[in-house]
Each structure stands twice: as C-alpha cells, then as structure tokens.
Amino acid sequence: MNFKFLAVILLLAVSMPVFAQKNMKIASVLQPSKSPIVTFRIQFLTGSASDPKGKEGLADLTSTMLAQGGSQKMSYDDIVGKFYPMAAGFGSQVDKEMTTFVGQIHNDKRAEYYEIIRQMLLEPGFREDDFKRIKDNQMDFLKTNLRQSNDEELGKERLYNIIYAGTPYEHHSVGTISSLEKLTIQDVKDFYAKNYTQAKLVIGMSGGFDTQFTAQMNKDFAKLPKGIMPKSKRTFSLNLSTSQLSEGIKIDIVQRETRATAISMGFPISVMRGDKDFPALALVASYFGQHRSSSSYLYGRIREVRGLNYGDYAYIEYFPRGMFQFEPDANLARKSQIFQMWIRPVEPQNANFTLRAALYEYDKLIKKGIDQKTFDETRAFLMKYVNILTQTKDAELGYALDSRYYGIDNYNQYMKTALSKLTLADVNAAIKKHLTSSKMRVVMITKDAEGLKKEIIDNKTGTISYASPKPADILAEDKIIGTFPIAVKAADVTITPVDKVFQ
Amino acid sequence: MKLFLLLLTFFIAASVTTAQTKKVFPYPYKTSDLPNGLRVVTVPTDFPNLVSLYIVVGAGSRNEIEKGKSGYAHFFEHLMFRGSENFAPGRFDEIMQKAGASSNAYTDDDRTVYHETFAKEDLDEIMKLEADRFQRLKFSEEQFKTEAGAVLGEYNKNSASPTFKMYEVLRETAFTDHTYSHTTMGYIADIQDYPNQYEYAWTFFKRFYRPENTTIIVTGDINEAQVLEMVKKYFSDWKKGDYKTTITAEKPQDAPRSKHIEWASPTLPYVSVAYRAPAFSETEKDAAALDLLSGIVFGENSELYQKLVLQEQKAVWVSPSFDNKIDPELFSVWAQVKDEKDLNYVRDEIIKTYMKFTKELIPQKQLDETRSRQRYGFVMGMDSNDAIAGTLARFVSLRRSPDTIDKVFALYDSITPQDIKMYAEKYFKDTNQTVITLATKKGGAK
C-alpha cells in the first residue's frame, strides 16, 4: 500500500470526528425581565433514582459537594467570604429525577457571582475536608433531624420508603445511614463524571440578563461531557405502577419517645401533570385537603369541628417541608406520585379515633365523590390560586422547568384551560378510576407503639372526649367513626423502632 | 405617539429610580390615618393581578401580663377565624377560597399579623370580611373550646423539636419580671387551661383589637385612592380604645445564669449563649451596632463559624439570633454540636468570641461588606407583593411607619467599628449572660 495514502487515511480517520462533530444544544428555560434580581435554576436531570445500588444518597451527596463545597481554585471559606457582601448564597435540591442548583443575585453583581458558581459546578474541588463535613451532615440529617426532631416529616418520608420499597424511589434522597457510611470521595467523582453532562443539563434563568450572558453560559457549560439524552419520562422504565404493592391496608408504627402521635397515609397513583385527569385530581386534593388552609375538608372535620390537631391535608404531588412553607418547592417533578393524607399530631389517646376518622372520610370521598357546589367552589379557587403558586420570579422559573419536564404549557395556562373545560362528571370519574385504592399504607409515629397496635388489632372502638358539648350530629358521626373498620390483618400492623428507619 | 409615551415612561421611571437610589425600600408608598387612629399604608407594585393585605395588631405575647395567660395572644389569633356577626363560621373560608387566596396569620412577642394574598378583583369583599371580624368578632363557647384543642395540637407538633424547649427555658431563665420571660406559644399548663377561659377572650378583644393599635398594609396591583376609600367605608365606625399595657420592667441581672436540659430521646446536643440586649430604636445606635456585629462575628462568613463548622467540624451549624423588639430582649448565639464531649468547648468558643469583640475592632472592610450585604439582602427579599407587605409589617409593628426602614438603614450607615466595640462591651458582660445547653438524658434515652 502506498504509505502516503495510508497516512492520509489515518489522518482523515483521526480528524473526521472533529469535522463531523456538532455542538450539542444545551436545553434552557429563559425568562428575561426588567427585574433587578437574576435567578438561576441550573438543573441536571439526574437524581436519587440514579443512585447505584448500595450507594443510596450519592446523588445528593455529590450535589451538596458542589453547592456547599470549594471549587478547585477557591475553598468553601473563600466562597462564603465572596458571597457575603453580595448577600448571595448557592444551594442544591435533589429529588428522584432531578438535581437543581439554585441561586439569586442582584444584577449589579451578576458577573462576579456567576464566575463563582461556574467554578463550583464546572471545576469542583472535591476536597477531603468538605467531604467529611458534608457526609457527616447528611448522616446527622437522617439520624437526628428526620428521626428525632420532626415527627411529621418523619412520617411522610417513612411512608414513601414503604410505598416504593424495592424500587429506585424507596430511599430518601439523602440516602440511608449504612450506605452513606460507605461512600467515598471517589464515588462522588465517578457520579459527577457520569451524570453531570450536557445532555442532562437544563439552564434556567430569569431576570435582567442579556443574550451575551446566555451565550457565555452555553460556552462554559459545553465543557461538560456530552452524555446521553435521558429517556422521555413517559416510558415507565422504573416500573413504579400500583401493581408493585400487595393488596390491603398495612400500618407501620414507628416507636419513639414523643408527646403526640403523627399520622401519614397514602398509595401510589398513575397521574401526573400533563395527564388527562391531573386537573381533576388536583381539584379533589384541593377540596379534600388544600395545604395549610382552613378550606381543607379534612381540616374542617378533624380540626375545626373536633379540635383534634393543628391541621389535616391531602396531596397528589410530593411536598416535603410542608410545615415550613405555604407553597411547595418547584423542581420535584417525578415519574410517579402518591395520593397522600397528612394528619398532624394528635394526643395519643385520640390516635385510634383519628386514624378511623381519616379512613372514614377517605372512604366517603371515594364512595360518594363530590357535589356540584363543591366542584364549582373548588374550581373557582384553583383558577385563581395558581397565580399564588407562581407569585415570585423564582417560582415562575421553577414551574417553567417542571412544565418542560412534564411536557405541558405554562402551568397557569395549562391549569386554567383544563379547569375551565372540566365537568363534575370528569372529577367523579377520576376519583373512581385513580383514588379508589385497596392498597393503603399508613405510618404512625408514637411512644406507646404496643398499646396503639393492640387497639388496632383488637378493633377497639375509637373514642374522643370533648372539652365542651357537641351537637347531636357530630356525636352520631363519632359513633360511626369510632367503629369504622380498619381492614388490616394483625400481621400487617408492624412496629419499627425509630433507629431502624433510614438505616 | 407610541414612541413619545415610551420615552416619557422611560424618563419617569429613570427619575423615580434616581430619587430612590438613596432609599433602601424600593417602592413608593402612602400612609394615611383615619380619625379613629387606624393607619393605612398602600404600596402599588409591578407584580400583576395579585394583592396582599396585611393587618398588624400591636398585641403579642409581651402583652400577656396576667398569670396563667401565657400564649393567649396566639390563641386569640386562632379565635379570630371562628366567625363574626355578619359572616358565619365557614364564610371566611368560602370567601378566601373564591378569591383563590393564600391566607394565614402569625403571632410574635410584639405583634399579631393577619395576612392574605388574593386576586385583585376580590379586595372589596375581603376588606369587608376583615372589617367585620376586627370589629364584630363572634364565636360560641363551644367553638372556643374546640379551637383550644387546635392550639394544643400546635404545641404538640412543636414539642418534638429540642430547640423549641430550649427557647422556652432560655427566656424564662433570662427574664423573670418582664413578659418576655414566656414565649409566644405559652406554657403547656396555661394552654391546657384555655378551655376554661372563654370570658377572658372578650376582655382581650376589647383591650387590643382597636383602631389606634392597628395598621392595614395593602400592596400590589392597586389604586391607592380606591383602597383608602374602601378602608374608610368599612372601618370608620371602629371605636377607639384606651387600654395601655403596663409591663413590669426587667430588673438588672447581677450574675450569669445557666440551665441544662436533659432530653428524653436521642439528639445531637445544642447550646445557646445569650446576653440581655437593647430594644429597637430609630435613633440610638445600640441595636443597629449589634445587628451589624451579629453577621460579621457569628454568621457563616465568620471566623467562629469557619473554625467550628468547616475546619474543626465540631458544630453542625452556628447561628446568631437578634430581632427588633419593642423592649430589651436577647442577643443569642445557637449551635448544634456533633458530640456531647465538645458541648462545653463549643460553648466556651462562643463566649470567647463575644469577649473578643468587646476588645478588638471589627475591620472597616468587613463592616462595609456587611452593610452591602444588608442592602442587597433587603432588596432581594422583596420578591412578591406578599414579601413586601410582610417586611413592612415587621417594621410597622415597631414604629407604625414604613419610614422606619430608611431610618434604620441610615443608622447602620453611621455606625463605626468603634461604636460596635463600645456596644459589645456594654452588653456582652458576664452579669448579662444566660447559657442553656441540651443533651440526651444519660442512661435513660431509648
């Protein structure tokens, strides 16, 4: 063979990829405006569902190393020092399917701020001292924060563990204590290299930035490896449908030293934003348990009428930290959701009654559905309430990113349009189809777990004593509630010591 | 024509901006007083379609001067949702629901705040609703007793948190005469007795829910003249009151105080080191100086934080707490500690740091950076009608005027490193100190 010809062939073979290579277009959601504040929501479509088996918590740990650790050039001390006069911060939120880095800055300081977060995300330091601090914090969060100082959040997260057992959604995004203990800094580096790619990136920004700035950001983030485009969320590759769970009610009582009894319950549903029945179910959840609102039906029956606790609510989308905020955080979009009831802590002697009350009301909802008046009122509420969900620029941006994920228009438009076309029949059909479940899972947190278990298994009548006389109709309903059957087998009422949870 | 209008808008916008670069509060506002003493503050903004309404009452747990009544202002806040003469129980919720509103309330040491954000077209109806409950509140004893159960529920859900208990113990240790000795939540023993105190609710209402004690704040997509007319229409008949709370001043402290709390379940230990601190002022530098000090000396950027949290990793977090209060209250620093063996060490490091700045000057550069941080932080916090009204509510409860905000920032601008050292020395003394620690009960915890 002609040597020269071979050399040319070889040269071409090496150089062809360069000529054929196209720049990958990085996805973005941009909302320029006259606001003096710039909001960044830089998202990677990878979350704790991507934690390798045995390495639960890796996605969260990695993101925290980026957002709360030093870059290659700057230690975290230095970064905090630079943020200080700008009143800036940088945080990360990890859920099952996405990791979102959030920061806000006054436009005066945008360039300086961006240079720092650019480094944090693209040139992370992966330092040993940061790793130790952050890993310890993650474990403390599970061990003492969730387990020992917030019964309500504990109940909700435990419920998710149980419903999603055996799936990538089982573990809390922060992980488990035993898996965290084993994670190394190399694990973090590997996760970063594999998952922080252009294909998974969505740059979200709102505020007074210009096109020159966005061009620069695209150029900077093009230094990430290309990666593989994530599959469309409509392929349920994670197999998270309701057929996962066995039939029947199951009750897990978490035992810990605590004053009151917290209750959470729910089951998976197959409806998300973009699905035909989502607006109908959103209406039902709003009627039945609008978050921290006295218009919640459950609140009306359990707190308002009976004074049993601080509140009672229902949801069709994940809403962590609900006790600290009135609106949910954005960017918790998932491939699977649950219908959930949150019954805030009750005096232990009323727990049996309250559990039955919640199940009784749920049963009424699925048997009777809702009436025209309720439908009209709740719809009128939701059509306006969507404005409140997006009342800050940050929320508007977050919702836009989620709309992109779910493949829907602007959330407000989507909901208003769908709600305006909705009928009562649609809603009641949706209740029958999606909320009628024979696979309820219940979590209760209490001190006398054995006593509570016995009350349930022995089918002890739920009782309640009032500080003042109640009308006859309430007392009559109390009798029904008190003996409302909890169709649970004795073997399906389990007691779990709190130090086994998230272990 | 369009271009002319565009240019005009630009020039107006520019001139408004110029006039306001010296001001920190970034929106124009109007303040009006009704003859009965009710004050109205209106702030039009460019957040469209929504209005936020905040009603600030000058009554908080500080006003609970009678024994057995701790937490009553907060309990009363709950009772305000139980119906009024012209709006039966349940109507409030119906109206809020129709307006697509987010509605709630909170109580603090010095104020109770009722607030909602809703579609602008519903302002008139909501104003009417509010006017009725503020003037013609009405509920039965049965409803009263039921609501007491909800407040007990609130105490119960808070009780899982160790810091909730620590705060209660800190306040009752640091104060014995002033009503700041109890917290806004109140003592469990008092809460458990609420069902027996129906008559007192009306005493409380008559004393404190009066126009001279109340400020209405309206922000958002509004016409200010129309809002004022609305308020006049619904609130003009509200009668002025004459009750003045007489609060026992706290005696000077003469020795350091401390308490240790044993926690029944496993927990990471906590420590709080507090000193008696100055009250809010628009004119005196004391509180402003300590405010600036708190971020510099105990914030995330501080040497102490970097040492304890980042380098030595003995604390999970360290955080200062110093609020604007009507009367002198506390300046405190809190930390969550990783291991009980380091509890005393962390406590001592915090105390050493307090002492350091009674002797050393804060560098001018840090002081300037802190002022920059405060200004940016303040502006960045105004990200919705609700946030703007919420911020105003905090200041209006102190001096009843949004002017206070710019006065306070002007005060910050006047503070020097020497001022900070002087006030640190004045307040951070042993005889002013209270230390609270909390750790798992030995041997008994499950």
Side-chain angles (χ1 to χ4, degrees), chain B residues 29 76 153 172 212 256 267 280 348 374 420:
Chain B
Y29 58 84
F76 196 81
E172 73 186 1
E212 74 278 8
T267 180
F280 172 81
D348 293 343
Q374 278 183 325
I420 295 181

Side-chain angles (χ1 to χ4, degrees), chain A residues 196-211:
Chain A
Y196 281 72
T197 62
Q198 293 181 51
K200 293 192 180 182
L201 172 62
V202 185
I203 294 177
M205 260 198 319
S206 83
F209 56 88
D210 52 33
T211 48

Side-chain angles (χ1 to χ4, degrees), chain A residues 46-340:
Chain A
T46 190
S48 64
S50 302
D51 287 340
K53 233 177 162 55
K55 295 192 195 282
E56 290 77 12
L58 183 51
D60 203 309
L61 183 61
T62 305
S63 76
T64 311
M65 281 292 288
L66 301 184
Q68 311 273 306
S71 67
Q72 283 166 21
K73 284 202 209 91
M74 299 174 73
S75 72
Y76 189 61
D77 291 9
D78 292 341
I79 289 171
V80 171
K82 286 272 184 309
F83 279 167
Y84 184 81
M86 302 191 280
F90 195 53
S92 66
Q93 174 184 264
V94 171
D95 194 52
K96 306 302 177 202
E97 303 293 348
M98 52 187 58
T99 297
T100 313
F101 294 92
V102 188
Q104 287 191 299
I105 191 66
H106 195 284
N107 217 10
D108 289 356
K109 299 290 183 186
R110 188 192 69 218
E112 200 182 329
Y113 179 74
Y114 170 68
E115 175 45 31
I116 299 171
I117 66 173
R118 182 199 68 76
Q119 282 188 44
M120 291 169 93
L121 292 177
L122 299 177
E123 295 156 16
F126 295 131
R127 294 151 187 254
E128 278 294 344
D129 54 357
D130 288 334
F131 181 72
K132 182 179 180 308
R133 165 177 58 86
I134 289 168
K135 188 165 124 157
D136 277 354
N137 284 353
Q138 302 289 83
M139 297 213 293
D140 282 338
F141 172 76
L142 294 173
K143 265 193 267 190
T144 56
N145 188 319
L146 268 190
R147 271 189 197 165
Q148 298 293 359
S149 54
N150 192 332
D151 287 347
E152 303 189 272
E153 205 69 350
L154 171 62
K156 290 179 190 182
E157 295 299 338
R158 174 77 180 150
L159 181 66
Y160 276 93
N161 292 165
I162 287 172
I163 290 177
Y164 288 104
T167 76
Y169 276 28
E170 174 178 356
H171 60 276
H172 190 284
S173 296
V174 172
T176 63
I177 289 160
S178 48
S179 64
L180 277 170
E181 268 164 0
K182 297 192 223 91
L183 288 178
T184 64
I185 211 170
Q186 191 57 48
D187 289 325
V188 170
K189 290 179 184 173
D190 293 343
F191 190 89
Y192 176 81
K194 182 164 178 231
N195 292 282
Y196 281 72
T197 62
Q198 293 181 51
K200 293 192 180 182
L201 172 62
V202 185
I203 294 177
M205 260 198 319
S206 83
F209 56 88
D210 52 33
T211 48
Q212 210 179 0
F213 182 71
T214 46
Q216 184 58 46
M217 276 192 84
N218 274 281
K219 189 156 166 254
D220 292 334
F221 281 82
K223 294 188 192 119
L224 287 170
K226 286 208 173 359
I228 303 160
M229 292 305 292
K231 286 196 199 130
S232 140
K233 65 106 182 172
R234 294 291 166 182
T235 65
F236 286 93
S237 56
L238 294 170
N239 191 23
L240 293 166
S241 62
T242 51
S243 60
Q244 278 285 118
L245 284 183
S246 55
E247 289 285 327
I249 297 181
K250 291 193 203 291
I251 302 176
D252 186 50
I253 305 173
V254 175
Q255 195 283 328
R256 67 172 293 267
E257 184 70 35
T258 184
R259 249 191 81 86
T261 302
I263 307 173
S264 271
M265 60 182 74
F267 49 84
I269 56 176
S270 57
V271 174
M272 281 168 283
R273 290 183 205 180
D275 290 334
K276 185 178 132 307
D277 284 333
F278 179 84
L281 290 190
L283 191 148
V284 176
S286 176
Y287 151 70
F288 200 54
Q290 175 63 35
H291 179 68
R292 292 184 68 185
S293 169
S294 49
S295 68
S296 147
Y297 173 78
L298 278 176
Y299 175 112
R301 302 313 294 170
I302 298 175
R303 169 174 158 167
E304 189 92 350
V305 165
R306 296 179 167 91
L308 280 167
N309 64 5
Y310 190 50
D312 311 90
Y313 313 105
Y315 307 86
I316 57 166
E317 288 186 315
Y318 181 52
F319 189 158
R321 302 173 290 276
M323 72 281 293
F324 301 122
Q325 41 198 87
F326 289 105
E327 290 92 43
D329 290 327
N331 306 143
L332 297 167
R334 294 180 164 193
K335 293 186 181 180
S336 171
Q337 298 280 3
I338 72 173
F339 172 77
Q340 182 182 172

Side-chain angles (χ1 to χ4, degrees), chain A residues 355-371:
Chain A
L355 171 62
R356 288 173 201 272
L359 292 170
Y360 162 80
E361 295 297 355
Y362 165 72
D363 186 66
K364 236 182 2 168
L365 175 71
I366 61 175
K367 288 208 168 85
K368 297 196 177 147
I370 65 172
D371 61 27

Side-chain angles (χ1 to χ4, degrees), chain A residues 85 259 294 347 384 470, chain B residues 93 122 142 146-147 156 372:
Chain A
R259 249 191 81 86
S294 49
E347 293 275 289
K384 289 179 172 175
K470 289 286 172 204
Chain B
D93 292 336
D122 295 303
E142 190 267 321
T146 306
E147 195 57 34
N156 280 337
S372 165

Side-chain angles (χ1 to χ4, degrees), chain B residues 40 125 134 142 157 192 218 220 227 238 257 260 287 289 385 439:
Chain B
V40 188
E125 190 169 22
F134 273 84
E142 190 267 321
K157 69 103 181 152
Q192 283 167 332
V218 191
V227 171
W238 200 4
R257 301 174 183 176
H260 178 73
N385 294 324

